[in-house]
Amino acid sequence: MSTSNNSYFGKAILFVALSIVAFLVFKEVLPERLFSEHVEANENILMDSMALMAQSDTTEIHDIPVIVESDSAKTQSYKEVDANFNPALTADGYQNLNRFYTKLRKLQETKTGKVRIAYFGDSMNDGDYIVQDVRSEFQENYGGEGVGYVAVSSLSAGARGSISHQYSKNWFSQSFVKVKKPMKPFGIDGQVFFAKDPAQTYWVRYKAQSQKHSTQLNNPVLFYGRGNNDKAQITIAADKDSVVSKSLNPVNLLNTLPLLSRNARSMQVNFHNADSIPIYGFNFDNGEGVHVDNFSTRGNSGLPLSILNPALMNAFDKVLNYDLIILHYGANVLGYGSLNYNWYERNMTTVVNNLHECFPNADILVISTADRALKIDGTMQTDPAVVPLANAQRNYARKTNSGFISLYEVMGGKGSMVTWVDNTLANKDYTHFNGSGSKKVAKLIYNEIDKGYTKFKAKQ
């Protein structure tokens, strides 16, 4: 009997050993995304672990002091919200958007000038979801043509419906969700791009789509930074026109170059000998009405905005003139195993203070996390962390005199994500909205902003 047991035990050990070997072999050839622990031990890699870093009392974010929750803070009620000041736009938060609403009213009454919005977000806004429909609502009601600012490359370029976007795969890019110290300062969308090899040609191609108010590439302008290079050139092919050549003059912290004297349907820009020059992106707008730029980044908690360079952002702002900064985060902040988001509230306060320095003439609007569902006790129901996070977002909006919209509340509150999935308005991950759901969310957000505008006008 013991011999049989020994034989069985030996076979079990052999099976386990072979399984481990097979796992290690196949792990090398399977996609890395299946193995979340596959991370390089590099202090320059953030992976928006800035959110994790902010919870550690031994880590600083890019030399900005990080305020973290103490042991005593962890015992406080995570539901605590200042009951005397609710900055939700459904209440009195519109007063924190006075400058934005003043510009909007001037545009509405005089039909001249323009209003510009920067919409910072995460995977909720990937592929221009939600943002493209917020943009359409504003442009339908206040005028404006063009999709706004578009980066050189994007993980969601192939899925974006508001503009067709293709690019050569040899671009070297750095993003503030992955890199702490870039070669040159990050652009306004938290990215910077380089055409590093002079022997290669780097290109980007855009084509307008059929979405209303974005049917042309309006007044294309290239944004690029400073570099020690006087040989760089670009060639531009628009529609069926002949190729046009232009030289880059990278003498300023931020440089702009108008590419065409007219609108186009499609355009390809080739970069030649442009090594060492930071390339940021392109802008398409008709110079009037409302323009909404989508600066979404997958995996972003919002904390990387604390490392945007104020001097460079001031240069962007001098050209683009922002009136409203929207912060729409939450999906990547849920799930850290805690119901206390004091650390996030405090560090996002630092983020907003940096944004005020970057864009001194803009108001700030905070949009809370949406509902998210998890399987609890065998049924899909609201993640217990959603309300604490939304409360923390409400609090940092209050502390920074920002406007606030509780997306969690306006989409229906507790259990609403399950309803949205059941009604085919959200994906089966119970986190992200699909195209139809994104359009509905955009309408909810726009309506809340419009409610605030109505209250603003009533007070005048």
Side-chain angles (χ1 to χ4, degrees), residues 369-419:
T369 180
D371 187 31
R372 182 178 79 162
L374 298 175
K375 183 171 285 188
I376 303 174
D377 295 331
T379 62
M380 298 301 297
Q381 50 189 289
T382 292
D383 183 340
V386 167
V387 171
L389 175 58
N391 285 344
Q393 291 171 312
R394 188 190 303 270
N395 275 342
Y396 89 73
R398 170 181 56 82
K399 291 178 180 178
T400 57
N401 296 316
S402 302
F404 178 77
I405 295 173
S406 175
L407 180 54
Y408 168 72
E409 292 174 1
V410 298
M411 69 178 286
K414 186 176 181 179
S416 55
M417 182 55 79
V418 174
T419 301

Side-chain angles (χ1 to χ4, degrees), residues 298-319:
R298 292 183 189 178
N300 192 359
S301 67
L303 298 187
L305 293 172
S306 65
I307 61 176
L308 288 179
N309 181 286
L312 180 56
M313 294 306 104
N314 290 166
F316 270 102
D317 194 37
K318 188 174 181 180
V319 177

Side-chain angles (χ1 to χ4, degrees), residues 233-251:
Q233 286 191 323
I234 60 171
T235 53
I236 308 147
D239 297 331
K240 297 180 180 180
D241 291 352
S242 58
V243 175
V244 177
S245 296
K246 292 178 179 281
S247 297
L248 300 186
N249 186 27
V251 295

Side-chain angles (χ1 to χ4, degrees), residues 5 12 53 87 96 115 122 147 169 185 204-206 215 258 296 333 338 347 350-351 365 373 395 425 431 441:
N5 286 340
M53 292 161 61
N96 294 323
V115 171
D122 52 27
V147 74
K169 303 305 180 183
V204 62
R205 183 185 302 133
Y206 303 103
T215 57
S296 64
V333 189
S338 172
N347 282 282
T350 299
V351 165
L365 171 62
N395 275 342
L425 294 170
T431 300
V441 168

Side-chain angles (χ1 to χ4, degrees), residues 1-16:
M1 186 70 176
S2 61
T3 301
S4 175
N5 286 340
N6 288 338
S7 175
Y8 176 81
F9 181 74
K11 289 179 180 179
I13 292 295
L14 178 61
F15 175 78
V16 171

Side-chain angles (χ1 to χ4, degrees), residues 427-445:
N427 299 328
K428 291 292 186 178
D429 65 357
Y430 290 85
T431 300
H432 295 89
F433 303 102
N434 58 24
S436 298
S438 294
K439 188 179 292 289
K440 183 174 180 178
V441 168
K443 186 67 173 179
L444 291 173
I445 291 171

Side-chain angles (χ1 to χ4, degrees), residues 208-284:
Q209 300 297 286
S210 58
Q211 189 174 67
K212 195 173 183 180
H213 305 296
S214 298
T215 57
Q216 296 186 86
L217 303 178
N218 305 86
N219 301 323
V221 176
L222 169 66
F223 288 75
Y224 63 101
R226 178 182 290 140
N228 185 22
N229 181 345
D230 59 3
K231 299 179 181 179
Q233 286 191 323
I234 60 171
T235 53
I236 308 147
D239 297 331
K240 297 180 180 180
D241 291 352
S242 58
V243 175
V244 177
S245 296
K246 292 178 179 281
S247 297
L248 300 186
N249 186 27
V251 295
N252 299 315
L253 183 62
L254 179 68
N255 306 277
T256 60
L257 179 63
L259 302 181
L260 302 171
S261 58
R262 61 172 184 81
N263 299 336
R265 175 72 176 175
S266 64
M267 178 185 73
Q268 178 166 321
V269 182
N270 297 333
F271 291 77
H272 311 278
N273 300 309
D275 55 296
S276 81
I277 299 176
I279 309 298
Y280 291 121
F282 298 80
N283 181 58
F284 307 100

